[in-house]
Amino acid sequence: MNDRRLESLDDLAPLAGNVLEELKAQGKMIATAESCTGGLICAALTEIAGSSVAVDRGFITYSNEAKTELIGVPAGLITREGAVSKEVAIAMAEGALERSNGDISVSVTGIAGPGGGSEHKPVGTVHIAVAATGEPTQHFHCWFADHGRQFIRLETVKTALASVLNALKDAKSH
């Protein structure tokens, strides 16, 4: 992808297509667990015809209760670490993997703004995790510039898709 500013999910179609092609080539399915992106990762993937071969399901876990009820994130973990944290992102990805037919999952939790940030977790703070069967869960702590809610959400989707693609390629090389 070039460095121009993302305008919409359409700008992510080439990257989403690459993820789907790699999933198909490996015979794998993906599940998503999304908070701050509200389903945009799954939407980017399912915008492409034929995606049902590689996309199992998407969990939109915007509230803390949804994180606990749908994908098993312990309520105590959310209370202790905060919903926007490495620990919760990892629990989300692992929970989505366990509660789906996916072979790989990606989770995102963050602060897209304009409000909700703090000194320690400013707007633009995002945690991404990728869990895959038989592999250690990967975590990425991102800080996106506060150029508005749409910018942060689209950058999060781009980074999440790129992280999945890298994890798939790494697993293939083992």
Side-chain angles (χ1 to χ4, degrees):
M1 302 210 60
N2 59 30
D3 288 334
R4 74 177 182 81
R5 189 177 240 178
L6 298 171
E7 302 283 331
S8 71
L9 280 182
D10 291 341
D11 295 336
L12 294 169
L15 178 57
N18 289 341
V19 171
L20 288 171
E21 287 305 314
E22 194 62 39
L23 286 163
K24 290 176 190 177
Q26 294 186 32
K28 293 183 176 178
M29 298 282 285
I30 189 170
T32 65
E34 302 181 60
S35 186
C36 63
T37 51
L40 292 176
I41 298 168
C42 201
L45 292 168
T46 59
E47 184 67 20
I48 298 169
S51 58
S52 61
V53 173
V55 178
D56 177 53
R57 69 190 74 188
F59 297 95
I60 299 173
T61 55
Y62 207 71
S63 71
N64 292 342
E65 292 78 14
K67 289 173 182 66
T68 299
E69 293 170 11
L70 295 177
I71 53 176
V73 177
L77 181 67
I78 295 171
T79 301
R80 186 173 61 254
E81 302 297 337
V84 179
S85 64
K86 172 183 179 178
E87 295 80 5
V88 169
I90 289 171
M92 288 172 66
E94 291 174 352
L97 193 61
E98 291 169 11
R99 288 164 176 76
S100 71
N101 295 317
D103 304 289
I104 191 167
S105 69
V106 63
S107 71
V108 295
T109 182
I111 304 166
S118 68
E119 180 183 340
H120 299 293
K121 294 180 185 178
V123 170
T125 301
V126 175
H127 291 271
I128 299 170
V130 177
T133 304
E135 299 288 334
T137 300
Q138 299 176 29
H139 167 259
F140 308 93
H141 188 176
C142 306
W143 286 280
F144 298 113
D146 186 2
H147 294 305
R149 185 173 182 83
Q150 179 183 18
F151 174 83
I152 292 167
R153 287 165 41 108
L154 290 174
E155 286 295 319
T156 299
V157 173
K158 178 176 87 172
T159 305
L161 288 171
S163 299
V164 168
L165 187 59
N166 289 335
L168 287 166
K169 288 180 177 180
D170 287 349
K172 187 167 71 173
S173 68
H174 288 134

